[in-house]
Amino acid sequence: MTNPNPRTLDSLDGRIILAMDKDPEASALALSRTLSVARNTVHARLARLERSGALRSFSRRLDPVALGYELMAFLSLSISQTRTGAVEDGLAAIPEVIEVHATTGDADLMAKVVARGTADLYRITNEILEIDGIQRTSTAISVLELVPPRYDGLLARLSEQDSRPAQ
């Protein structure tokens, strides 16, 4: 069955991604054998997932500690609403800013930042404050990651959709 929305995954996409999680080095042929699906189907699905942006870059799996960034912090940012483009560009130019979300609530943006230690975090925070349009920051340091980013439960639920009886 063809998926009409290239950004929406179906059960086969879920099964392919779960199989890749189990064996990241598996070829399309190996995945096709594991899943009992034609190799060309697996290859086409992977190409579509990459083109659509559903599969993100491999580097997102990297643990920042392996790069020497042992401290993680979340910065709540208040910005001037007329300077959002400059703020986005400024934050994107700082390598230690690894994620930014527009949010509701007291902060306009939430930035996930990695640092080598508290002195490095201080440097990074000052660099962020120098960006035209940043009005204020509030920092919360992560002391322990309790639940890492994960999608396997959602993928397992998706991949089971074809096997459930119709209701």
Side-chain angles (χ1 to χ4, degrees), residues 37-106:
V37 177
R39 182 187 58 80
N40 287 340
T41 300
V42 172
H43 187 284
R45 290 294 184 111
L46 289 172
R48 179 183 54 79
L49 291 169
E50 286 183 37
R51 273 193 318 274
S52 73
L55 288 181
R56 296 179 177 176
S57 66
F58 184 79
S59 66
R60 293 179 61 107
R61 297 177 58 188
L62 187 65
D63 183 348
V65 174
L67 296 171
Y69 294 93
E70 296 188 14
L71 189 141
M72 184 172 298
F74 299 91
L75 277 66
S76 300
L77 307 174
S78 296
I79 65 170
S80 167
Q81 300 300 314
T82 60
R83 302 294 302 154
T84 57
V87 168
E88 287 178 41
D89 293 344
L91 292 170
I94 301 171
E96 294 88 354
V97 175
I98 59 172
E99 205 171 326
V100 178
H101 295 265
T103 59
T104 61
D106 293 336

Side-chain angles (χ1 to χ4, degrees), residues 125-142:
T125 302
N126 282 326
E127 193 173 338
I128 289 171
L129 283 166
E130 291 175 7
I131 297 171
D132 187 29
I134 300 280
Q135 296 175 330
R136 229 173 9 268
T137 69
S138 176
T139 303
I141 294 175
S142 172

Side-chain angles (χ1 to χ4, degrees), residues 10-20 35-37 155 159:
D10 64 20
S11 61
L12 179 56
D13 295 328
R15 290 175 50 221
I16 291 169
I17 295 168
L18 283 171
M20 289 174 53
L35 301 170
S36 300
V37 177
L155 288 166
S159 66

